[in-house]
Amino acid sequence: MSEFKDKSVLVLGGSRGIGAAIVRRFASDGANVTFTYAGSADAAKQVASETGSTAVVADSADREALIKVVRDRGPLDVLVVNAGIALVGDPLEQDPDEIDRLFRINVHAPYHAAVEAARQMPDGGRIIVIGSVNGDRMPMAGLASYALSKSALQGLARGLARDLGPRGITVNIVQPGPIDTDLNPADGPMKDMMHSFLAIKRHGRPEEVAGMVAWLSGPEAGFVTGAMHTIDGAFGA
Ligand code: NDP
């Protein structure tokens, strides 16, 4: 397929899981893809050599490093902010510095990356952030900071869609339910509990999320903006 032939795509957090599937999808559709990673150099090298994409180390918690990567990449047709972390635990016991780091990665980075990308993005560009069904529903204890961070992205999409709409740039949030990655393995200890919430009784696949990102990035989705797109097997239904 060549739907994204010669399009310039940046995926923040593309070395593993959903982000790696997004890199693979765009690369196989003909795009010039750059992706960032923070800790998984071997995985990043593997994805880059397999897809012909470019891997750049940049910690999303470091605002200046993040902004530099976005700026240096030049005019982007598509920005995907995928990098995100979860911290599970009793909020009364959690380290506030770790919680603030989560907010820098999950909330501040999507905002600053989207704004920086918009400076050079051509008309009709696409900004997509990977949120979570937990932005809408949180049926488990121990994940309040994560839920807060993913709900915050909804405001980002609604607001920025207004700012960038006049240029035809769309801003959307993709909200996955349980997806089989290192973060949430299909055979992990929470499997049975998670599947009890699902209409489709399995974890989703990273490629399924990548498919939704590709559609939102394509020409059919030019009127879709400021919106949340849930892909969760009815986890939150
Ligand atoms: P993984 O932990 O499997 O992969 C995370 C990816 O993000 C890795 O490539 C990692 O790179 C990168 N990343 C993490 N922190 C940073 C950072 N500080 N700077 C740069 N890159 C970073 O997660 P998933 O693929 O499961 O999740 C991806 C996104 O999807 C996240 O935003 C997550 O919240 C969301 N999501 C996931 C769900 C799931 O069930 N899996 C459900 C709902 C939402 P590296 O290892 O190199 O640091």
Side-chain angles (χ1 to χ4, degrees):
M1 287 216 287
S2 58
E3 186 177 2
F4 296 104
K5 189 160 170 30
D6 299 331
K7 296 283 186 193
S8 177
V9 176
L10 175 61
V11 179
L12 299 176
S15 54
R16 297 182 292 111
I18 293 169
I22 293 169
V23 170
R24 289 190 178 98
R25 175 63 191 257
F26 278 113
S28 75
D29 282 356
N32 293 324
V33 186
T34 298
F35 69 90
T36 64
Y37 66 98
S40 305
D42 289 347
K45 247 181 241 161
Q46 168 68 30
V47 172
S49 74
E50 184 193 312
T51 61
S53 55
T54 304
V56 179
V57 65
D59 184 348
S60 287
D62 178 343
R63 188 183 66 205
E64 295 314 316
L66 175 87
I67 287 175
K68 184 175 185 317
V69 166
V70 177
R71 189 188 302 133
D72 288 355
R73 189 70 178 100
L76 295 171
D77 296 294
V78 181
L79 170 71
V80 181
V81 185
N82 167 76
I85 61 168
L87 294 171
V88 188
D90 180 346
L92 307 190
E93 304 293 338
Q94 285 177 312
D95 177 349
D97 288 338
E98 286 299 307
I99 298 296
D100 279 358
R101 182 166 180 275
L102 180 149
F103 293 143
R104 286 205 299 280
I105 295 167
N106 290 15
V107 180
H108 300 192
Y111 178 86
H112 291 301
V115 169
E116 188 58 34
R119 295 186 201 285
Q120 301 186 68
M121 188 169 261
D123 289 2
R126 300 283 195 262
I127 296 172
I128 296 164
V129 183
I130 308 301
S132 168
V133 67
N134 294 141
D136 285 330
R137 302 267 184 279
M138 178 39 85
M140 299 163 288
L143 280 159
S145 58
Y146 183 73
L148 187 165
S149 73
K150 295 302 185 178
S151 297
L153 296 175
Q154 301 184 344
L156 170 67
R158 293 186 180 111
L160 215 50
R162 303 274 175 196
D163 295 308
L164 304 180
R167 293 163 54 191
I169 295 173
T170 65
V171 186
N172 288 286
I173 309 298
V174 168
Q175 301 193 143
I179 306 296
D180 183 15
T181 67
D182 297 338
L183 183 70
N184 184 2
D187 57 358
M190 310 229 305
K191 172 191 161 195
D192 289 339
M193 185 268 291
M194 287 200 177
H195 288 195
S196 74
F197 297 125
L198 291 164
I200 309 287
K201 299 274 181 207
R202 63 169 174 83
H203 273 48
R205 293 185 287 273
E207 297 73 26
E208 291 173 310
V209 181
M212 179 177 269
V213 170
W215 184 79
L216 285 168
S217 301
E220 289 180 316
F223 196 55
V224 180
T225 193
M228 305 342 125
H229 307 275
T230 299
I231 170 166
D232 74 339
F235 181 94

